[in-house]
Amino acid sequence: MSRKLLALASVVVGLHIVEALTVGTSTLGSFLANGLQLFACGFAAVMAFGASRRGRGLSHTFWLIFGASIAMWGVANLGWMYYEVVLHSEPPTTSAVRFLFGLESVLIAITLFLDQDKDSPRIDPETALDFIQIAIVFFLIYLEFYYLPARRLDNYSAFLREMRVENAEDALLTVLAAFQALRAQKRDTRKLYGGLALYLLLLTVCAALAQYLQSLKPAPTGTLRDLLWTLPFLVGAVWAAQWQPSPVAETGSRLRRKTFGELMLTNTTFAVAPLIILWQVSQLEAEWRPLRFSLLGVSIVCYAARLAISQFHEAKSANAVQTHTLAMDSAINGLAILDAGGKYIYVNPSYARMIGNTNREAMLGKSWREISPSQDVAPLASEIREALKQHGKWFGPLTVPHRDGTAVAMEMAITTLPDGGTICVSGDITERVSAQRARAETEIRYRKLIEQVAAISYIAEIGVNGQWYYVSPQIETMFGYSAEEWLSNSKDWIRYIPIDDHPIVHAAEENSARGEPFQAEYRITRKDGNVIWVSDTAVVVRGSDSHPVMEGLLVDITDRKMLENQLLQARKMEAVGRLAGGVAHDFNNLLTIIKGYVEMAIQRCLDRPELHSDIRRIEDAADRAVTLVRQLLAFSRKQVLRPKILDLNAIVMNLDQLLRRLMSENIAIKTFVSKDVGAIKADPGQIEQVIMNLVVNARDALPDGGRILIETSNVDLDSAYTRDHTVVRPGPYVLLAVTDTGIGMTADTAAHIFEPFYTTKESGRGTGLGLSTVYGIVKQSGGYIWVYSELGKGTTFKVYLPRVKDAVQAPAAETPASTAPMGHETILLVEDEPDVRELTQMVLTERGYRVIEALTPEDAERLAGNNGAEIHLLLTDVVMPGMSGRELAKRLTGRYPNLRVLYMSGYTYNVIAQDGTLEEGISFLQKPFTPQVLTQKVRESLDRPVPVK
């Protein structure tokens, strides 16, 4: 840019030289020379206006007025060019063109009197009034020292007088510019006025030289002396183009208090103009009296208005200062101002209170070292001094001790002022420090609490790829990863979750993205490869910059899930058991009819042997069906047990030889029974069936041979065991364990192993009721059974039966079955199944009994009321619509004490037996039954004494 400007200036200078050497002072030469001067003047004005747009504050106004002054010279020179080129003469002595040349000095003078302290880009009313005063002064100078005398002088003398007046003005302006540069406080302002002084000096020298040469040899425009007018404008253009404001507004300039002399000079300046004008007016001739008094009046009005505006601003400033002082005095924060020597010049009450000095007036004029003990501030003094030196400010906490022994915690901001002093702003943070201390203590207690609970607390971003910010140390115990390991790969935390559980996590994350709580239960793979269940609960909170995060807890629920699965399995088995029991009940009624009529058919076909074989096949099929139904009843725990106090070891040893005969040669069976095994209370036949079924199941799991181990022992199941097996009651038990080294089974197979008709054997081998029968017998006997298996390694069944303290009962001698004698008693038969009722009535009638049939319990009560005294036995079904057989028996025996009762049913379901265990003294006939068993049981019931209530 500077090279282009210099090149352009060089071109203008070269053109001047060419013009002067070629066409000279001719009309064309004058036109070209004036044109070049106008171009240089316009060039300088444009550069000055450009600098004005770049300027801030005072510099903006400075360049604007400076550009206007150069433009004014160009306008005047345009008039000069008109006279010289068109009229071929110089402008007259009293021409307005010569007056316009003088306006350039007026505008430059205005720039010299801009208020440096305000540094404002606008011209306020006070400055405008000062400008009017300056304009009047220069107008009177022009009028008195040139215009009026020039009317009485010849052209040459008038030219010399004009030259001396202009040179004197330029010299005076140059001196004033240099003076303003010297007194300027800001570097930019100093550079402005320094540059203006050099420009005016160049302009003064060039103008004086040009005017001197013109006085020696008058010549029109077109000579080399024209360069003396062009050069200052070219220099001014380059100066304006090169000028740049400071990148940052100056704030660090030191302010100083104006001295008395400076204040006198400033105030005197306001009065100088009216005095000068008064003196100038007094020198004017009488004919100019209206003008002189008008100008004097304008000057006085301007001076008065200037004083009024100044006083108004001073009053306004005083009010503002008073308001600010009141505000600072009332502020909660402490405020203090110190001079460059470190002495307090202002202190508000809050600051004095924080420092510990109640008398703030006593602090004024004293050094801060006198107020604050040196031992308390010495550690920070060097830090504060260095911060103020480098950055001009310091901020930090302080603890100030008071004379009464207390201390005040506060924050203080210290800032350097332009005049070298400092301002201190302090805030009492005692309560905040106490709150922070309490919060820190609370956070420590909270962290200790969180780190002691059996759960992982965490803070993480929302989303399956969100960053985890915090995780408690419990993660190492639960997952096997340290907190650092987990956080380092936390953005990929979903890789620890089995893929089957990903939809659960994604659904929960979608809820949290909507601001809803995160709730999910899923599996996680530990560092050691084990899989555990966790419950993940979190809430969405706003983090820093309103960035939402989740705060949550991870709880290990593996045990709970296992217990839930056990409970679910138990409920499923219970539901299947009810279904099986219901089916067995209906089958027992049908089998009773089949077996009854089969036996009667055999008796009636004794003379036809060819039918015996067919009937026996029907009987065998019915017996197999009876066995199947009894297995279903055993599983459903609806069979009637006749428990006794048993020695489990004796039962195991009695079955040992029989079990060995069931094994093939490649299967070894070993029995280990512990000494002093406690007694159990159970149905001996059912316990034998349990052992047989478990051993047969183990045999079938050994297709290629192996070993079977049968063990017994006393065990005590405590609360730790019951936590893992929720359905188990703690207490003493006898353990029966059957272990094989067979093919084992999967977890899915083990979950269904006790369900009826579930089998892994090929078709035709087994009914799938063996283990379900075992399950039902064990549960009905008050015990528990668990299976432990691993594919390819074998299976162990553990049966826990409650241990009792009673002595083992000796086995009762079996009495051979005999044909029941004929009867004659009256029997009230209550059965809701018509075919069973018909068969029973037929059999008993053939044996001589009188049978009264009742379809329902209500019919039975009515018939008993008519024949109550004659009825010897109540033969009733247990399960009937409306009223059970047990309830019917209670009602009738209450009215007829000598009435005997015989119950018959396919299952009891606690109707006549508690937990399926038959009470002492109760007669029970298990369906399905044959006519022979029916008559025998009826005879036994009739011959038994009536129980005493």
Side-chain angles (χ1 to χ4, degrees):
M1 181 67 180
S2 58
R3 291 182 179 179
K4 292 181 180 180
L5 292 176
L6 291 175
L8 181 60
S10 300
V11 169
V12 173
V13 172
L15 289 175
H16 259 297
I17 296 173
V18 170
E19 178 275 328
L21 296 178
T22 55
V23 293
T25 59
S26 65
T27 302
L28 178 60
S30 296
F31 175 78
L32 292 175
N34 280 293
L36 290 174
Q37 290 178 347
L38 286 174
F39 177 80
C41 177
F43 178 44
V46 170
M47 294 296 103
F49 291 145
S52 174
R53 286 194 297 270
R54 297 193 300 272
R56 293 187 298 266
L58 181 139
S59 61
H60 171 78
T61 307
F62 174 90
W63 285 112
L64 185 64
I65 298 175
F66 179 76
S69 70
I70 295 176
M72 185 60 65
W73 190 95
V75 172
N77 193 64
L78 191 62
W80 186 282
M81 178 179 176
Y82 171 76
Y83 274 97
E84 198 168 48
V85 174
V86 177
L87 301 180
H88 303 290
S89 65
E90 290 187 0
T93 305
T94 57
S95 172
V97 173
R98 297 184 182 274
F99 176 76
L100 290 177
F101 279 115
L103 286 181
E104 178 196 13
S105 300
V106 175
L107 292 174
I108 290 178
I110 289 175
T111 63
L112 295 175
F113 286 93
L114 292 173
D115 193 339
Q116 299 182 24
D117 294 332
K118 291 182 179 180
D119 194 15
S120 173
R122 294 176 297 179
I123 298 176
D124 55 22
E126 295 166 276
T127 305
L129 293 173
D130 292 341
F131 291 171
I132 294 173
Q133 296 274 36
I134 294 171
I136 293 174
V137 169
F138 275 83
F139 174 75
L140 291 175
I141 290 174
Y142 171 80
L143 183 65
E144 182 176 354
F145 291 97
Y146 172 72
Y147 181 79
L148 293 179
R151 293 193 307 174
R152 299 188 295 270
L153 299 175
D154 57 75
N155 290 338
Y156 181 75
S157 299
F159 168 73
L160 293 178
R161 189 174 187 85
E162 180 185 19
M163 181 181 64
R164 286 193 290 270
V165 171
E166 288 181 357
N167 289 339
E169 288 179 349
D170 291 341
L172 177 62
L173 292 176
T174 302
V175 173
L176 287 175
F179 176 74
Q180 291 287 53
L182 292 174
R183 66 184 290 268
Q185 297 297 317
K186 294 183 178 181
R187 186 181 60 179
D188 278 358
T189 306
R190 195 160 44 246
K191 287 174 60 178
L192 276 178
Y193 285 110
L196 180 61
L198 293 176
Y199 169 79
L200 290 175
L201 179 61
L202 176 63
L203 179 63
T204 302
V205 172
C206 289
L209 182 59
Q211 291 169 352
Y212 174 73
L213 294 176
Q214 183 69 13
S215 65
L216 293 179
K217 185 180 181 181
T221 306
T223 64
L224 290 176
R225 72 182 67 163
D226 295 334
L227 284 173
L228 296 174
W229 298 106
T230 302
L231 281 176
F233 294 130
L234 294 176
V235 172
V238 174
W239 172 42
Q242 293 294 323
W243 179 86
Q244 294 292 336
S246 297
V248 180
E250 293 185 59
T251 57
S253 299
R254 294 175 61 87
L255 297 179
R256 58 185 180 86
R257 292 184 180 181
K258 291 185 177 181
T259 63
F260 179 77
E262 290 175 330
L263 291 174
M264 283 294 296
L265 177 61
T266 301
N267 292 326
T268 302
T269 303
F270 298 151
V272 165
L275 292 175
I276 293 175
I277 293 171
L278 178 61
W279 176 78
Q280 289 176 328
V281 167
S282 65
Q283 302 299 316
L284 291 178
E285 299 174 358
E287 61 179 310
W288 296 93
R289 179 174 298 175
L291 178 63
R292 66 182 183 181
F293 284 113
S294 297
L295 294 177
L296 180 60
V298 171
S299 176
I300 293 174
V301 170
C302 289
Y303 177 70
R306 180 71 163 76
L307 288 179
I309 293 174
S310 298
Q311 290 176 355
F312 172 76
H313 286 166
E314 288 176 1
K316 188 176 179 181
S317 299
N319 291 334
V321 170
Q322 186 177 7
T323 302
H324 294 164
T325 303
L326 290 174
M328 290 191 295
D329 287 346
S330 304
I332 297 176
N333 289 336
L335 293 170
I337 301 175
L338 293 81
D339 61 16
K343 294 182 179 180
Y344 287 105
I345 58 177
Y346 171 79
V347 175
N348 75 346
S350 296
Y351 184 89
R353 176 181 54 79
M354 294 179 197
I355 294 297
N357 196 326
T358 57
N359 186 4
R360 63 170 179 153
E361 286 76 12
M363 298 175 61
L364 299 178
K366 292 185 178 180
S367 172
W368 62 269
R369 295 180 179 84
E370 300 179 45
I371 305 299
S372 303
S374 57
Q375 66 272 16
D376 298 324
V377 298
L380 283 175
S382 58
E383 176 188 338
I384 295 173
R385 192 179 300 109
E386 187 64 24
L388 294 178
K389 181 179 179 181
Q390 293 184 2
H391 310 291
K393 57 186 177 180
W394 177 87
F395 176 80
L398 287 173
T399 301
V400 179
H402 290 179
R403 297 174 182 175
D404 57 2
T406 61
V408 174
M410 61 182 183
E411 285 180 337
M412 181 173 288
I414 303 176
T415 306
T416 302
L417 295 175
D419 64 351
T422 53
I423 180 170
C424 303
V425 181
S426 61
D428 190 340
I429 59 171
T430 304
E431 294 183 0
R432 190 173 79 191
V433 170
S434 300
Q436 289 175 346
R437 187 180 298 112
R439 178 181 177 183
E441 294 173 355
T442 302
E443 287 180 351
I444 292 173
R445 289 195 296 267
Y446 173 75
R447 184 179 292 271
K448 288 182 178 178
L449 175 63
I450 286 296
E451 293 178 356
Q452 288 175 357
V453 298
I456 300 172
S457 61
Y458 68 88
I459 301 175
E461 290 180 340
I462 295 176
V464 294
N465 300 118
Q467 177 71 40
W468 290 48
Y469 299 117
Y470 167 77
V471 65
S472 62
Q474 291 93 323
I475 194 169
E476 190 163 2
T477 304
M478 285 178 56
F479 295 171
Y481 298 95
S482 66
E484 293 75 16
E485 288 176 323
W486 184 270
L487 293 176
S488 63
N489 297 313
S490 62
K491 284 193 174 182
D492 194 25
W493 67 277
I494 198 170
R495 67 190 176 95
Y496 301 110
I497 301 174
I499 193 169
D500 293 342
D501 292 352
H502 284 192
I504 299 174
V505 178
H506 284 294
E509 289 288 0
E510 290 176 1
N511 290 338
S512 61
R514 294 191 296 267
E516 300 175 6
F518 180 101
Q519 176 64 53
E521 292 182 357
Y522 51 85
R523 293 167 294 171
I524 277 190
T525 305
R526 286 172 42 87
K527 189 176 183 179
D528 58 11
N530 292 328
V531 178
I532 64 172
W533 278 91
V534 295
S535 174
D536 190 350
T537 304
V539 294
V540 179
V541 299
R542 295 294 171 187
S544 60
D545 299 328
S546 298
H547 181 61
V549 296
M550 293 196 306
E551 295 183 359
L553 288 175
L554 285 165
V555 181
D556 187 345
I557 59 169
T558 306
D559 294 342
R560 195 194 82 191
K561 279 291 183 180
M562 183 173 62
L563 298 180
E564 287 178 355
N565 290 336
Q566 292 175 5
L567 182 59
L568 181 62
Q569 180 69 10
R571 288 178 176 174
K572 181 175 69 174
M573 298 297 286
E574 181 69 24
V576 175
R578 290 183 181 180
L579 175 62
V583 172
H585 173 267
D586 293 338
F587 265 98
N588 272 331
N589 283 332
L590 297 175
L591 289 173
T592 299
I593 299 169
I594 294 171
K595 288 181 67 65
Y597 282 106
V598 164
E599 185 172 326
M600 291 175 64
I602 291 175
Q603 294 298 326
R604 293 174 182 176
C605 297
L606 293 176
D607 56 342
R608 300 181 65 180
E610 68 275 10
L611 298 179
H612 280 199
S613 176
D614 295 335
I615 297 174
R616 289 297 181 187
R617 288 182 180 277
I618 297 174
E619 185 179 25
D620 290 342
D623 289 340
R624 289 197 300 272
V626 169
T627 303
L628 183 64
V629 171
R630 284 181 178 172
Q631 288 177 326
L632 285 175
L633 287 172
F635 167 73
S636 61
R637 291 167 285 160
K638 294 178 175 64
Q639 61 181 343
V640 177
L641 302 181
R642 291 174 175 82
K644 296 181 180 179
I645 307 300
L646 304 176
D647 181 1
L648 182 61
N649 283 352
I651 295 176
V652 170
M653 298 307 297
N654 289 338
L655 290 174
D656 185 68
Q657 292 302 320
L658 174 62
L659 295 175
R660 292 180 186 275
R661 286 196 294 269
L662 297 175
M663 301 297 122
S664 59
E665 294 180 354
N666 59 353
I667 297 177
I669 182 169
K670 294 184 178 181
T671 302
F672 295 97
V673 293
S674 300
K675 295 181 179 180
D676 302 325
V677 170
I680 61 173
K681 186 176 183 179
D683 189 317
Q686 302 294 335
I687 297 301
E688 289 177 355
Q689 186 175 357
V690 168
I691 298 173
M692 290 285 292
N693 287 6
L694 290 177
V695 172
V696 170
N697 185 77
R699 180 200 64 186
D700 294 341
L702 296 166
D704 299 324
R707 289 181 290 109
I708 298 176
L709 177 63
I710 304 174
E711 300 174 276
T712 63
S713 63
N714 290 329
V715 294
D716 290 290
L717 303 182
D718 55 11
S719 57
Y721 184 87
T722 59
R723 279 198 298 270
D724 297 333
H725 305 80
T726 182
V727 296
V728 176
R729 294 181 180 178
Y733 289 84
V734 174
L735 169 65
L736 169 66
V738 178
T739 303
D740 66 72
T741 59
I743 58 178
M745 53 184 146
T746 64
D748 182 64
T749 301
H752 299 280
I753 199 68
F754 294 119
E755 296 177 7
F757 304 111
Y758 180 85
T759 179
T760 58
K761 302 173 185 176
E762 62 271 18
S763 178
R765 290 193 60 195
T767 62
L769 289 170
L771 290 178
S772 60
T773 300
V774 171
Y775 178 85
I777 293 172
V778 172
K779 296 297 289 183
Q780 194 170 6
S781 300
Y784 308 95
I785 182 169
W786 303 99
V787 59
Y788 306 89
S789 182
E790 190 172 348
L791 200 62
K793 294 186 178 180
T795 303
T796 297
F797 286 91
K798 291 186 177 181
V799 177
Y800 297 92
L801 296 169
R803 194 163 72 236
V804 297
K805 297 181 180 179
D806 299 336
V808 176
Q809 297 176 353
E814 295 186 3
T815 57
S818 59
T819 303
M822 297 294 289
H824 61 281
E825 291 88 351
T826 301
I827 299 174
L828 176 59
L829 172 62
V830 186
E831 171 61 62
D832 61 329
E833 181 64 38
D835 292 337
V836 176
R837 187 174 65 252
E838 181 182 351
L839 174 65
T840 305
Q841 187 271 340
M842 183 188 303
V843 171
L844 294 176
T845 300
E846 288 181 355
R847 300 303 298 172
Y849 296 102
R850 176 173 174 252
V851 179
I852 302 173
E853 295 183 58
L855 278 67
T856 64
E858 290 76 14
D859 290 342
E861 284 191 286
R862 178 177 54 79
L863 294 171
N866 299 332
N867 305 281
E870 302 177 3
I871 299 175
H872 300 89
L873 176 67
L874 171 65
L875 176 58
T876 178
D877 191 12
V878 175
V879 180
M880 294 180 293
M883 185 188 303
S884 69
R886 184 64 183 271
E887 181 63 27
L888 175 63
K890 284 183 179 181
R891 293 188 180 187
L892 294 183
T893 55
R895 287 152 53 183
Y896 309 106
N898 294 324
L899 180 65
R900 294 168 177 81
V901 179
L902 174 59
Y903 297 102
M904 58 180 177
S905 180
Y907 68 95
T908 62
Y909 195 56
N910 296 344
V911 176
I912 64 170
Q914 182 67 27
D915 296 326
T917 302
L918 197 63
E919 297 179 9
E920 191 69 27
I922 291 182
S923 298
F924 180 74
L925 177 61
Q926 175 74 54
K927 291 181 180 179
F929 50 79
T930 64
Q932 181 181 358
V933 173
L934 172 63
T935 55
Q936 287 178 351
K937 202 66 179 177
V938 168
R939 191 69 260 166
E940 289 177 6
S941 300
L942 288 170
D943 294 341
R944 180 180 296 176
V946 177
V948 179
K949 299 287 180 82

